[in-house]
Amino acid sequence: MLNAAVILTIFLGFWGVVVKRNLIMKILSMDVMSTGVIAFFVIWAARSGVFTPIYKPWRELDYADPVPQGIILTAIVIGLSVQALMLVGVMKLSRNHPTLEVESIEQALASGARSTFTDD
Amino acid sequence: MTELTLVWVALPFLLAFTTYLMPALTRPSLLGMAALTVVYAVQQGGLPGTTAAPLELQLLDHFGVTLRIDANGTAMLLAHGLVRLGVALYLDRRFAGSRFLAMQLLIVHGSANAVIISADLISVYVSLEVLSIGVFLLLTYGRRAEGQSTVEKRERQLWVGLRYLFMSNVAMLFYLMGAILVYVRTGSLAMSSLAMADPTALALIAVGLLAKGAIFVAGLWLPLTIMLLRIRLSRRCSAVLRPKQEPWPWCAAVRLRQSWPRGCPT
């Protein structure tokens, strides 16, 4: 059940990435997707047990697997920094393209592309 | 040998930050780093017909970073080093004016080296992400330093860079899902455990890497990025943009040769 919810989150995020036309919405969908992937790691880590993986000799518990949890920390940090970088780019784009619709940006930039191809 | 390898892996990043503190080091560090990569690759048997024992390093315990330098890797390293050397010689004059460019080139150099030699899935992921951030900054940097760029050109660069970063990030999410499935099945993140992985995991990893390397969904981001960008730097970047997936490492060298005689970068 939980597994299905995680997969659904990933697919919802991917759907948003493909379908949404607004740049901010696209970045938000990417965030949803990466949250899904993080949860995917956590779910698989909890397969063997859900207790915090801090070993105490007198406790006989089903510990969660610490490796995927450790790994996903890196991915969280990288995802955050990439998103911050992209949002800065979007902020700069929004000065001349306030709607941030993908089509309108591509049209505006493509109309000027011809001059770029010929100018040198 | 281990120490030399570790120094060589870490040096580009250290140099990149040092160039900001000591501007005089900018040009020598770029040229020197590229030359060091070439020398290292040749010494490890990168030239065709030579062989050297593959070097395998396991840093930080069992699930830590694994590096492997073998015949395939050194051929790629040699090609990459030669491309870097070409870039460094070609852009030599400009480094005095733009230390940012030099710094980003060093970071891209270091992370591309790391992609080639890392032997576990997560190291590859981390270095690919560092690479794509560095390439994004190079793509959007463009002509700003020379004061030639109009607002529209700058925006086009920004848009193309954003597209690249967006698509590579989404592709790497698929790769990550594949990586955890490999771990669940085999209990290890080493590249060698891919042989025992599920088809699902392999498919996810392949989709991620191929989309990032602009091979599978042909034309997803590559043509626009290379064509619209109009900074000549992009030709040098093109070998970097698809590092691990280069079908034949010498392609990179051929590309450099093709782009060599076309005048100064504008």
Side-chain angles (χ1 to χ4, degrees):
Chain A
M1 182 63 206
L2 215 51
N3 240 327
V6 167
I7 303 273
L8 190 69
T9 313
I10 296 175
F11 273 101
L12 271 179
F14 188 62
W15 176 80
V17 164
V18 175
V19 169
K20 288 288 173 189
R21 291 283 133 216
N22 190 299
L23 260 184
I24 295 283
M25 293 300 279
K26 269 187 188 289
I27 293 177
L28 280 181
S29 318
M30 197 182 79
D31 190 34
V32 170
M33 192 179 165
S34 67
T35 308
V37 172
I38 291 163
F40 194 63
F41 268 66
V42 174
I43 288 278
W44 279 114
R47 209 175 35 143
S48 56
V50 293
F51 281 96
T52 319
I54 300 171
Y55 178 68
K56 293 275 174 16
W58 63 87
R59 289 199 308 191
E60 294 227 347
L61 297 169
D62 297 329
Y63 293 110
D65 188 349
V67 176
Q69 298 184 0
I71 287 165
I72 202 62
L73 267 181
T74 326
I76 292 171
V77 173
I78 291 176
L80 176 82
S81 53
V82 167
Q83 267 170 40
L85 201 58
M86 288 181 66
L87 284 173
V88 170
V90 169
M91 267 168 66
K92 293 187 98 176
L93 268 183
S94 71
R95 212 165 292 156
N96 284 336
H97 307 275
T99 57
L100 286 176
E101 299 285 327
V102 175
E103 273 103 357
S104 70
I105 295 175
E106 287 212 316
Q107 265 175 12
L109 294 182
S111 62
R114 205 168 294 122
S115 63
T116 320
F117 281 126
T118 52
D119 69 353
D120 61 358
Chain B
M1 204 59 234
T2 310
E3 287 80 10
L4 177 66
T5 307
L6 292 180
V7 167
W8 166 75
V9 169
L11 198 60
F13 300 105
L14 289 176
L15 282 178
F17 293 113
T18 319
T19 50
Y20 254 67
L21 300 175
M22 283 182 268
L25 275 179
T26 310
R27 284 170 64 183
S29 63
L30 252 145
L31 286 169
M33 196 56 228
L36 180 65
T37 303
V38 172
V39 170
Y40 182 82
V42 168
Q43 194 238 347
Q44 289 289 325
L47 288 175
T50 57
T51 49
L55 183 66
E56 190 137 8
L57 298 179
Q58 185 130 29
L59 314 174
L60 302 172
D61 211 356
H62 189 57
F63 290 104
V65 177
T66 326
L67 305 177
R68 185 182 161 84
I69 299 133
D70 55 11
N72 293 332
T74 46
M76 276 186 179
L77 278 181
L78 184 60
H80 178 232
L82 287 174
V83 172
R84 284 288 134 198
L85 200 59
V87 173
L89 289 171
Y90 200 69
L91 299 179
D92 201 15
R93 296 270 172 77
R94 298 182 65 193
F95 292 142
S98 82
R99 273 184 286 150
F100 181 80
L101 183 66
M103 186 184 91
Q104 287 308 322
L105 279 174
L106 272 171
I107 289 182
V108 166
H109 183 158
S111 49
N113 278 346
V115 173
I116 294 171
I117 64 170
S118 36
D120 67 303
L121 297 168
I122 295 303
S123 303
V124 170
Y125 167 76
V126 172
S127 29
L128 275 175
E129 285 286 9
V130 175
L131 184 67
S132 60
I133 291 177
V135 169
F136 168 77
L137 291 175
L138 276 178
L139 289 179
T140 50
Y141 178 68
R143 300 176 180 170
R144 217 170 346 179
E146 289 144 44
Q148 290 177 355
S149 79
T150 62
V151 172
E152 199 183 66
K153 279 180 189 166
R154 212 181 300 169
E155 275 186 351
R156 193 170 304 125
Q157 286 175 3
L158 191 59
W159 171 240
V160 165
L162 273 178
R163 271 176 52 116
Y164 169 68
L165 196 61
F166 189 74
M167 287 176 191
S168 74
N169 202 35
V170 172
M172 289 321 277
L173 288 177
F174 283 103
Y175 174 88
L176 266 183
M177 279 191 273
I180 183 67
L181 289 180
V182 170
Y183 175 78
V184 166
R185 180 65 181 265
T186 65
S188 151
L189 284 161
M191 284 267 186
S192 49
S193 58
L194 280 176
M196 295 173 289
D198 286 336
T200 322
L202 289 180
L204 283 168
I205 288 181
V207 164
L209 285 182
L210 291 180
K212 181 157 169 72
I215 292 176
F216 167 49
V217 192
L220 189 63
W221 55 264
L222 192 71
L224 197 72
T225 309
I226 302 289
M227 278 163 61
L228 267 184
L229 205 61
R230 301 303 304 146
I231 43 170
R232 297 294 168 87
L233 192 65
S234 67
R235 293 215 180 90
R236 273 102 213 149
C237 281
S238 64
V240 172
L241 290 171
R242 29 198 302 196
K244 196 94 180 175
Q245 300 86 4
E246 196 71 70
W248 188 37
W250 296 97
C251 283
V254 174
R255 262 190 221 164
L256 174 75
R257 200 182 57 77
Q258 283 169 347
S259 63
W260 184 264
R262 299 198 189 173
C264 267
T266 46

